[in-house]
Amino acid sequence: MKPFMQTQLERYATRLAELDFLLSKEDILKDMQQFMALSREHADVAVIASRWLRYQSAQAQLQEAQEMVSDSTKSSPATPATPADAEMLALAQAEVDALQAETQQLDAELQRLLLPKDPEDLRNAYLEIRAGTGGDESALFAGDLLRMYTRYAEKVGWKCEIMSESESELGGFKEVVLRIEGDKVYGALRFESGGHRVQRIPTTESQGRIHTSACTVAVMPEPDPHQSIEINPQDLRIDTYRASGAGGQHINKTDSAVRVTHLPTGIVAECQDDRSQHRNKAKAMQVLLARIQEKDRLERSLKEAATRKGLIGSGDRSDRIRTYNFPQGRLSDHRINLTLYKLSQIMEGDMKEVLTALQHARESELMQDLEIGGLVI
């Protein structure tokens, strides 16, 4: 392990002692916000400090075992090794092998734990799916993507709420925005942003030809209400209109649907899913804030990409990140050269292998930066 990493890990051990002291103070519960922040930091720091302690212990045990092996192999000609000595040597060597494997594993784990973390990874997220090239088939694929993400959310215990939707005539969606609430949602889904291409035979195709169409996906962290950007009310245009949809007693009877436009950027958000105009406006504002914040984030990442192009990419919707080939049952993520022949399972929400591979690719990028000194821990 490199010296600069050891220095950083020692700081975590010191910080853990400081947090233990702060959380033991009698008046800590008077400021619940500070208590929660310190508790979260304590949980993160404790994981790294405990792994560092175990690494040090394993290193000490490894050194002792190696010395034992070394001493056992220095047998004198006058006192040849006995079967018992050979057995002890074999046991010591086995311990050396096990401890070397453990220290290597702990070393890699500590490097991963020291990687810079994005605080937004902990946040809930808005997931937006828009039909692109391909007409009705693209809208149908948008519906399939929505099903895939909601099924995955169900598997991991996240909650989903449709914030706005625009259905197509043959089914599917021209556009749909989903709010996903749960543990580290944005961190898990952030690399889903980009262009998703589908190759399959549409239900409307009479000659059995394979068509190619596409959708775009954007994943945006839910803005922190305490830190989100402030919008001047004069920069907003709010329009109300009658909701449209499949029908029902309420449809087209009141102007409950709301469209909010941010005039300086031209960003628009709308919602018509609730019978209350007030609640529709609140939902539209939440989506609008997320889109404005995502625009700012994307602009910053594109500037950074001018000097460093990441493997995962900026999340620009123009990037074609993935292909879903139904005739071959194949999913290909072009950013990390990942190919899986389990498309039917993935479309039913079995996304863990895909998302894990993307996370590991990102971690490998950050580790390479650490190796060349591109990031300061």
Side-chain angles (χ1 to χ4, degrees):
M1 181 179 291
K2 295 184 177 180
F4 80 93
M5 288 188 63
Q6 296 183 23
T7 301
Q8 185 68 14
L9 289 165
E10 289 291 350
R11 291 176 184 169
Y12 274 91
T14 303
R15 180 57 179 166
L16 183 62
E18 293 174 352
L19 291 168
D20 285 335
F21 170 74
L22 292 172
L23 288 170
S24 67
K25 296 175 66 175
E26 294 182 0
D27 60 346
I28 184 64
L29 294 176
K30 291 181 179 179
D31 187 342
M32 188 54 64
Q33 186 173 353
Q34 182 187 29
F35 172 73
M36 294 299 294
L38 290 174
S39 297
R40 286 192 295 268
E41 183 183 358
H42 185 278
D44 293 338
V45 171
V47 170
I48 298 176
S50 65
R51 295 291 193 282
W52 171 233
L53 186 64
R54 177 55 197 154
Y55 176 84
Q56 291 175 300
S57 175
Q59 281 282 75
Q61 294 176 46
L62 176 60
Q63 185 174 351
E64 291 177 4
Q66 288 172 331
E67 291 175 355
M68 185 180 298
V69 170
S70 178
D71 292 342
S72 299
T73 55
K74 295 178 181 177
S75 57
S76 168
T79 56
T82 65
D85 293 333
E87 184 178 355
M88 288 295 295
L89 177 61
L91 290 173
Q93 186 60 53
E95 185 177 4
V96 167
D97 294 341
L99 287 168
Q100 283 179 335
E102 183 181 4
T103 53
Q104 289 174 3
Q105 179 181 346
L106 287 168
D107 191 335
E109 188 175 349
L110 285 167
Q111 288 186 56
R112 186 173 292 110
L113 288 170
L114 285 177
L115 293 176
K117 296 177 179 61
D118 188 340
E120 290 187 337
D121 284 351
L122 302 175
R123 306 199 64 75
N124 301 325
Y126 292 104
L127 188 145
E128 172 189 287
I129 306 170
R130 287 186 180 180
T133 56
D136 291 331
E137 171 62 12
S138 177
L140 291 171
F141 181 53
D144 293 337
L145 289 177
L146 177 66
R147 174 188 171 88
M148 178 183 74
Y149 290 120
T150 52
R151 283 295 181 90
Y152 177 74
E154 291 173 3
K155 290 177 184 291
V156 297
W158 295 340
K159 296 180 181 179
C160 296
E161 176 189 7
I162 291 181
M163 302 296 289
S164 68
E165 59 184 332
S166 176
E167 298 182 3
S168 66
E169 294 179 0
L170 296 181
F173 298 91
K174 298 176 182 177
E175 177 182 320
V176 59
V177 179
L178 190 69
R179 178 180 180 270
I180 307 177
E181 178 184 349
D183 183 38
K184 301 177 182 178
V185 175
Y186 180 68
L189 297 178
R190 63 184 302 168
F191 300 121
E192 292 301 292
S193 292
H196 294 241
R197 184 177 67 172
V198 61
Q199 295 173 328
R200 64 184 178 187
I201 302 172
T203 55
T204 56
E205 170 58 53
S206 59
Q207 300 182 20
R209 292 174 298 184
I210 296 174
H211 288 224
T212 299
S213 57
C215 291
T216 57
V217 173
V219 181
M220 303 164 286
E222 184 177 58
D224 185 339
H226 302 291
Q227 300 178 358
S228 60
I229 56 178
E230 294 184 2
I231 296 179
N232 186 341
Q234 295 180 349
D235 290 337
L236 298 177
R237 185 180 74 234
I238 300 175
D239 302 309
T240 59
Y241 57 98
R242 292 188 178 182
S244 60
Q249 294 181 352
H250 179 70
I251 297 298
N252 293 328
K253 288 192 175 183
T254 61
D255 292 341
S256 59
V258 176
R259 181 184 298 111
V260 183
T261 305
H262 185 240
L263 299 175
T265 61
I267 295 175
V268 178
E270 57 187 0
C271 184
Q272 61 174 352
D273 299 322
D274 201 292
R275 295 191 177 190
S276 165
Q277 183 185 109
H278 177 74
R279 285 192 291 269
N280 280 336
K281 179 182 176 182
K283 288 182 179 181
M285 283 298 300
Q286 290 175 14
V287 176
L288 183 74
L289 283 170
R291 285 177 173 169
I292 293 174
Q293 180 176 279
E294 179 67 7
K295 179 178 180 295
D296 292 341
R297 187 203 64 78
L298 183 57
E299 288 176 350
R300 290 195 304 271
S301 67
L302 289 174
K303 289 180 181 178
E304 294 170 2
T307 55
R308 175 186 176 276
K309 177 61 177 176
L311 174 67
I312 302 299
S314 64
D316 190 330
R317 300 187 205 182
S318 63
D319 293 339
R320 189 195 70 191
I321 65 169
R322 190 176 297 156
T323 295
Y324 303 73
N325 187 302
F326 279 77
Q328 298 179 13
R330 169 176 56 85
L331 177 141
S332 299
D333 196 294
H334 308 295
R335 298 164 294 179
I336 57 176
N337 295 321
L338 173 71
T339 299
L340 299 173
Y341 288 91
K342 49 182 292 186
L343 184 57
S344 59
Q345 297 97 308
I346 292 171
M347 297 307 295
E348 288 297 319
D350 185 8
M351 298 184 65
K352 183 177 180 180
E353 190 171 355
V354 180
L355 298 179
T356 300
L358 289 166
Q359 292 288 349
H360 287 172
R362 177 57 175 163
E363 289 170 357
S364 297
E365 276 191 323
L366 293 174
M367 285 182 183
Q368 289 174 10
D369 286 341
L370 287 175
E371 288 292 330
I372 63 176
L375 290 173
V376 178
I377 296 183

